[in-house]
Amino acid sequence: MSGISGMEQLINVVNKLQDAFTRLGVQLTVDLPQIAVVGGQSAGKSSVLENFVGRDFLPRGSGIVTRRPLILQLVYSQYEYAEFLHKPGKKYMDFNEVRREIEADTDRVTGKNKGISNLPINLRVSSPNVLNLTLIDLPGMTKIAIGDQPPDIEVQIRNMILEYIKRDSCLILAVTPANTDLANSDALQIAKEVDPKGFRTIGVLTKLDLMDQGTDAKDVLENKLVPLRRGYVGVINRSQKDLDGGKDIKLQIKAERDYFLQHPSYKHMADKMGTTYLQKTLNAQLTNHIHNTLPSLRDKLQKQLYALEKNLGDMKHFKLDDKTMKTKALLQMIQNFSLEFEKALEGSRSSEINTSELCGGAKINSLFHERFPFDIVKMEFDENELRKEIGIAICNIHGIRIGLFTPDLAFDAIVKKQIARLKDPCLKCTDLVVAELLKIIHFCTERMARYPVLRDTIERIISSQLSKSEVQCKEQISLYIDFQLSYMNTNHEDFIGFANAENQAEKNISGTSNAPGNQVIRKGYMCIHNQSMIRGAKDYWFVLTSDSLAWFKDDTEKEIQYILPLNGIKVKDLESKFISRRHTFGLFYQNGRNIYKDNKQLELSCSSLDEEVTWKASFLRAGVYPERQKEANNNEDIEVKEEVDPQLKRQVEVIRNLVDSYMGIINKSTKDLIPKVITHMILNTTKKFISEELLLHVYSTENQEGLMEESPEEVRKREENMQMYQACKEALSIIGECSVSFSSQMTRNETYHPPKPPIAAKKIYRLSTPIQTVTRPAPPPPPGIKKFDSMANLVPEFYVFSVP
């Protein structure tokens, strides 16, 4: 086998790769080197392909005849026959049957309404009259839908062609009729879109014999008009009269040769024209192209094989009736689930970190230290309402008597009422933590999606255990509230005491109390919706202090936009406008006056619910309380009595200070203890159950046989991955055999010089006398001749004449 023929085996390698993917029913995801034939309708594409084969085998007719890509593999062989990949083992000797099978298979996929499909037809033609070559015949470009064709047929064909020729591994055979203006060539135009410099495009001019008398395509064929890196080749196809008369293709090729030799414009380049030269050129260029792209193709296949191996894991050896494999998979699934659950709670060791929102342990931490304190602060008393309640309690305790001393019972009554109100936010915090745990469990079981029965079983078992833990936790929380209600520890070291409360009351009444400084409570971005219709909503940088709310253009805090004092302001929830997903709330004055420009309320929004909750909690810390429903009885008489009775006012202030001090102790204890109770009773219990008891509960289920049943979607997905895995392995094996074969040929001193693609015409120097053949050892070179040696021990010596 010569070196060149050895290199031509690379085309067979690509054919085998194409067949390996197609036979296994795998969508090709790697770009194989190939030649795509493009051109307009009636440009002569089919005739060029038939000339290569030497047989009439392609469908002909009006309109779009080629409606599916035809992958045509030409293989040199002693015998002539054709094979379709969708009919393995059947050899076609009659090429009229080949044409009918192409038409029938096209109709099976696309129907008979002239529709198109990108599902290719694989046809292999073995013949002694062909060179090894692989081409893809694509539908001819059209502009107008005919008959039952869809109105967007032009776009469909264009997208199909681009899908093939946009790949860097694809050579483009652009077929253009010579009797039309080259500037209007559909083939060259679409080729230029994906190959603007013409590196991958080979031009073919057909119908040279049909040009107007006195005109020729000499400038085009000499690559002067529209230069292509690989040049142009002219061919003469059979006319319609020849087709109707059944003219033999061999006679046509001979007539084509005679035409170029006799034509005055083409005879000087006749050796580089015609079907035979085109076939040899394509064979050489495709071989060289495959040789250059094979290493990168091997690299892509190896990367894809590695990714598939990682994805499949032990599933490469999976068998439906293998109980050992199923047991191993079950144990592995539960073990991985336990690790993922622990990682989700720990957070820092999580393998996949969510950067878009809080989740898992971070979300539970936010519930403990932001949402739960916010709910407690939100529950806290309104100053005016508290004073009214204290005044009513004192009056009811004194009855008809005039109270000279501040009654302790008023303190007990008010404190117990406030402590009882703590139960709701504590239970609400428990519900939020359980809901987040259920989300974590559902997220961690996503890896079991291939086994839906197992996933449902595990979620059901853990949910049942979680419900038990939740009930026990809420019982402990209720018991904790009962403990606090049962005994008032007024000897607590942090309690203000009666004497200090009286002193503080005197200072408050006399107005000598020191007000705290204007401390910064929170900073961050929020959106203001009180803009004009033209400007719309806009984000600003907000700075909340204990006295005011200011916003700036950005976080540099250089350009201040507005400062809003917080005296008399309330906060309330608002519904999001239109289809906005932002969370909105409003600030307003209780007396109804304008708060910002001509607006009764300042509408603010945050990007997430968690952010809205933390901002509201910050406003509560600044003394901005939520809007409350007005009670039917406003207790105006208490306010009047407090104004006219200084003694009652002093007693209210004392009780107020005592309640505030004691509730500060209770709230501090509650914020610290409830997260501990929930963590111990729910989080740790669930984690321990999953790691120690979950497997036992799974094995105790009744339907053990059905636990490892895969979902139909997962079965299909695994089979597709297995097919792709096998195809990649086979493709790498084919490439490996080719590399070994080619290396062994090279070690036998066989040399291959890849042909250089034709380029724009340039001046060529020729020797006036031929070089005489000499045998080794060669005599010393005459003057003016330089000796050139390349690839030692492989390339024979040859001489290159220096040309001035």
Side-chain angles (χ1 to χ4, degrees):
M1 180 184 293
S2 66
I4 293 180
S5 61
M7 284 296 295
E8 287 179 354
Q9 294 303 313
L10 293 176
I11 298 178
N12 288 335
V13 171
V14 175
N15 291 344
K16 290 179 180 179
L17 293 177
Q18 186 80 47
D19 293 348
F21 282 92
T22 308
R23 182 176 60 256
L24 292 172
V26 177
Q27 182 67 30
L28 195 61
T29 57
V30 292
D31 299 337
L32 296 180
Q34 53 199 3
I35 299 177
V37 185
V38 298
Q41 289 188 27
S42 303
K45 298 190 289 81
S46 298
S47 296
V48 171
L49 296 179
E50 287 182 338
N51 290 346
F52 287 166
V53 178
R55 294 284 187 174
D56 295 328
F57 68 96
L58 294 175
R60 294 183 179 274
S62 60
I64 300 178
V65 178
T66 304
R67 294 185 283 131
R68 290 174 58 188
L70 175 66
I71 300 178
L72 178 61
Q73 300 174 356
L74 304 182
V75 180
Y76 177 80
S77 174
Q78 294 182 351
Y79 304 100
E80 186 178 53
Y81 60 90
E83 294 177 291
F84 287 97
L85 198 62
H86 62 271
K87 288 194 172 183
K90 184 176 181 180
K91 296 183 178 181
Y92 293 80
M93 305 297 182
D94 186 355
F95 281 82
N96 290 323
E97 292 186 16
V98 173
R99 180 191 302 110
R100 289 192 288 269
E101 179 58 30
I102 293 175
E103 294 173 344
D105 196 55
T106 299
D107 290 341
R108 277 195 291 267
V109 175
T110 64
K112 298 183 179 181
N113 60 350
K114 298 295 183 181
I116 65 171
S117 170
N118 59 359
L119 184 65
I121 300 175
N122 287 67
L123 173 63
R124 174 175 295 176
V125 176
S126 302
S127 172
N129 302 319
V130 300
L131 294 178
N132 289 343
L133 200 60
T134 300
L135 305 106
I136 301 178
D137 185 22
L138 297 170
M141 287 175 283
T142 184
K143 297 186 181 299
I144 301 176
I146 300 175
D148 296 332
Q149 294 174 357
D152 62 339
I153 188 69
E154 177 186 4
V155 178
Q156 291 186 27
I157 294 176
R158 181 180 178 82
N159 292 338
M160 182 192 300
I161 294 174
L162 288 173
E163 186 66 27
Y164 280 91
I165 67 175
K166 71 180 181 182
R167 304 168 183 169
D168 292 335
S169 60
C170 180
L171 297 179
I172 306 169
L173 191 65
V175 181
T176 304
N179 58 351
T180 61
D181 189 357
L182 197 66
N184 297 326
S185 170
D186 293 331
L188 291 177
Q189 184 180 10
I190 196 170
K192 192 173 182 180
E193 292 183 20
V194 295
D195 183 30
K197 296 184 178 179
F199 288 155
R200 297 187 288 116
T201 304
I202 306 168
V204 176
L205 286 186
T206 62
K207 303 183 181 181
L208 290 167
D209 55 333
L210 300 181
M211 297 184 68
D212 293 338
Q213 293 185 359
T215 61
D216 58 51
K218 179 181 177 181
D219 290 342
V220 177
L221 294 172
E222 289 181 349
N223 212 9
K224 295 179 179 179
L225 192 60
V226 182
L228 295 176
R229 179 67 176 83
R230 300 175 184 268
Y232 293 83
V233 178
V235 297
I236 304 294
N237 296 326
R238 290 175 296 172
S239 65
Q240 188 62 45
K241 180 180 179 181
D242 295 335
L243 293 172
D244 296 338
K247 183 178 181 179
D248 186 70
I249 293 179
K250 294 180 180 179
L251 295 177
Q252 171 60 28
I253 293 178
K254 183 177 182 305
E256 178 188 51
R257 174 69 175 168
D258 295 338
Y259 175 84
F260 287 121
L261 287 173
Q262 295 173 7
H263 197 284
S265 299
Y266 307 136
K267 62 182 181 180
H268 69 285
M269 61 179 78
D271 292 339
K272 294 184 178 181
M273 295 290 112
T275 301
T276 303
Y277 176 78
L278 176 61
Q279 191 174 4
K280 291 179 180 179
T281 300
L282 295 180
N283 171 267
Q285 296 198 23
L286 180 59
T287 300
N288 186 37
H289 188 58
I290 294 173
H291 181 260
N292 293 334
T293 57
L294 209 56
S296 62
L297 176 62
R298 182 194 294 112
D299 184 59
K300 288 181 181 178
L301 286 170
Q302 287 175 341
K303 290 180 179 178
Q304 191 166 355
L305 184 67
Y306 175 76
L308 288 169
E309 280 185 339
K310 186 177 180 181
N311 186 28
L312 286 170
D314 293 338
M315 291 296 106
K316 298 193 298 292
H317 313 293
F318 181 81
K319 296 180 181 179
L320 294 176
D321 56 346
D322 190 350
K323 294 185 178 180
T324 304
M325 191 72 180
K326 290 183 177 181
T327 302
K328 181 181 178 181
L330 174 62
L331 293 173
Q332 209 169 34
M333 287 286 178
I334 295 178
Q335 184 180 10
N336 291 338
F337 168 75
S338 178
L339 293 175
E340 286 296 323
F341 181 79
E342 186 175 354
K343 286 180 180 180
L345 284 181
E346 297 296 334
S348 60
R349 292 185 291 168
S350 178
S351 56
E352 298 179 0
I353 299 176
N354 190 336
T355 59
S356 59
E357 62 179 356
L358 292 177
C359 60
K363 183 62 179 291
I364 293 177
N365 180 70
S366 175
L367 294 175
F368 283 158
H369 302 294
E370 291 186 2
R371 183 64 180 266
F372 180 51
F374 164 72
D375 289 337
I376 290 180
V377 173
K378 186 178 180 180
M379 179 274 308
E380 285 179 353
F381 41 79
D382 182 273
E383 189 68 26
N384 295 330
E385 293 294 329
L386 178 63
R387 292 182 182 278
K388 291 178 183 178
E389 292 176 1
I390 295 174
I392 293 172
I394 292 174
C395 291
N396 287 334
I397 291 172
H398 287 159
I400 61 174
R401 297 171 296 162
I402 303 298
L404 299 177
F405 302 100
T406 305
D408 294 344
L409 292 178
F411 167 76
D412 290 347
I414 297 298
V415 167
K416 287 184 177 181
K417 183 177 180 181
Q418 296 297 325
I419 292 175
R421 294 172 62 189
L422 285 174
K423 186 174 183 179
D424 287 340
C426 293
L427 296 179
K428 181 180 179 182
C429 182
T430 306
D431 293 335
L432 292 175
V433 171
V434 170
E436 186 60 30
L437 268 182
L438 291 174
K439 289 182 182 179
I440 296 174
I441 293 169
H442 185 72
F443 172 77
C444 293
T445 56
E446 284 184 356
R447 296 180 182 271
M448 303 179 187
R450 68 190 314 155
Y451 306 112
V453 178
L454 176 64
R455 181 178 185 179
D456 293 342
T457 301
I458 288 179
E459 289 188 1
R460 176 177 51 80
I461 292 173
I462 299 177
S463 297
S464 177
Q465 174 64 27
L466 191 58
S467 298
K468 296 178 182 178
S469 300
E470 180 184 2
V471 171
Q472 294 175 0
C473 181
K474 288 183 176 180
E475 289 177 353
Q476 292 297 321
I477 291 175
S478 299
L479 191 59
Y480 162 74
I481 299 297
D482 293 339
F483 290 162
Q484 295 290 359
L485 291 172
S486 63
Y487 177 68
M488 305 295 172
N489 184 16
T490 54
N491 287 327
H492 195 280
E493 58 184 2
D494 294 333
F495 187 58
I496 190 174
F498 189 82
N500 292 331
E502 280 193 326
N503 293 334
Q504 186 67 36
E506 292 294 338
K507 292 180 181 180
N508 293 340
I509 294 173
S510 61
T512 59
S513 60
N514 295 325
N518 189 21
Q519 300 176 349
V520 176
I521 297 176
R522 183 180 176 83
K523 294 182 179 182
Y525 277 103
M526 283 193 293
C527 184
I528 296 181
H529 294 265
N530 295 85
Q531 305 287 342
S532 63
M533 294 296 294
I534 299 177
R535 295 178 61 188
K538 188 175 181 180
D539 286 329
Y540 291 98
W541 178 259
F542 283 81
V543 177
L544 176 64
T545 67
S546 54
D547 292 338
S548 64
L549 175 68
W551 56 91
F552 301 80
K553 185 176 181 180
D554 50 42
D555 54 5
T556 60
E557 299 184 14
K558 293 182 180 180
E559 299 183 30
I560 190 167
Q561 304 294 314
Y562 198 82
I563 297 179
L564 179 66
L566 298 181
N567 294 334
I569 290 181
K570 297 289 184 181
V571 62
K572 66 178 179 180
D573 294 325
L574 298 176
E575 294 184 0
S576 300
K577 296 183 178 180
F578 303 109
I579 58 174
S580 174
R581 296 183 180 180
R582 299 183 67 86
H583 300 269
T584 309
F585 63 96
L587 302 178
F588 66 98
Y589 284 116
Q590 201 165 17
N591 57 12
R593 63 190 177 92
N594 292 339
I595 188 171
Y596 174 63
K597 296 183 179 179
D598 296 330
N599 300 287
K600 298 293 184 183
Q601 64 183 15
L602 178 63
E603 299 178 9
L604 305 174
S605 70
C606 304
S607 58
S608 66
L609 179 61
D610 293 335
E611 191 176 356
E612 180 194 14
V613 169
T614 55
W615 268 108
K616 288 181 179 179
S618 300
F619 275 111
L620 288 174
R621 289 173 55 195
V624 179
Y625 291 92
E627 178 186 27
R628 294 179 181 271
Q629 298 293 334
K630 294 184 179 181
E631 298 179 3
N633 181 12
N634 291 327
N635 301 310
E636 296 179 358
D637 52 342
I638 298 298
E639 294 180 358
V640 174
K641 186 173 182 180
E642 188 176 339
E643 291 295 331
V644 299
D645 187 354
Q647 185 175 353
L648 177 61
K649 184 176 182 180
R650 183 182 61 81
Q651 291 177 351
V652 169
E653 190 67 31
V654 171
I655 298 297
R656 163 71 181 79
N657 291 335
L658 291 173
V659 170
D660 189 31
S661 175
Y662 194 80
M663 285 308 300
I665 297 172
I666 299 300
N667 289 341
K668 184 178 179 180
S669 175
T670 302
K671 293 176 186 177
D672 177 66
L673 184 62
I674 296 303
K676 293 179 179 178
V677 174
I678 295 174
T679 301
H680 176 72
M681 301 291 296
I682 296 180
L683 300 184
N684 292 346
T685 302
T686 304
K687 187 163 59 174
K688 183 178 179 181
F689 175 80
I690 291 175
S691 61
E692 297 180 1
E693 302 181 34
L694 177 60
L695 184 61
L696 180 63
H697 283 75
V698 170
Y699 274 118
S700 64
T701 57
E702 298 179 358
N703 186 20
Q704 293 187 12
E705 293 294 330
L707 285 177
M708 301 305 292
E709 289 183 1
E710 291 184 297
S711 65
E713 179 65 22
E714 287 299 323
V715 172
R716 182 190 62 80
K717 185 178 179 181
R718 189 188 73 247
E719 290 177 351
E720 288 180 354
N721 287 337
M722 284 297 298
Q723 288 176 341
M724 179 62 73
Y725 175 77
Q726 295 297 335
C728 286
K729 283 187 64 176
E730 186 173 344
L732 285 171
S733 176
I734 293 170
I735 294 177
E737 292 175 2
C738 167
S739 300
V740 172
S741 175
F742 184 68
S743 298
S744 63
Q745 293 171 14
M746 291 297 293
T747 57
R748 293 197 297 268
N749 296 338
E750 294 182 347
T751 305
Y752 172 70
H753 300 285
K756 296 181 179 180
I759 58 176
K762 61 181 180 178
K763 188 174 181 180
I764 301 175
Y765 296 94
R766 301 180 182 274
L767 296 175
S768 58
T769 57
I771 301 176
Q772 299 295 326
T773 304
V774 295
T775 58
R776 297 193 181 199
I785 300 179
K786 297 180 181 178
K787 184 177 180 181
F788 179 83
D789 189 4
S790 177
M791 298 179 65
N793 301 326
L794 291 179
V795 182
E797 293 182 352
F798 61 93
Y799 298 99
V800 178
F801 283 76
S802 298
V803 181

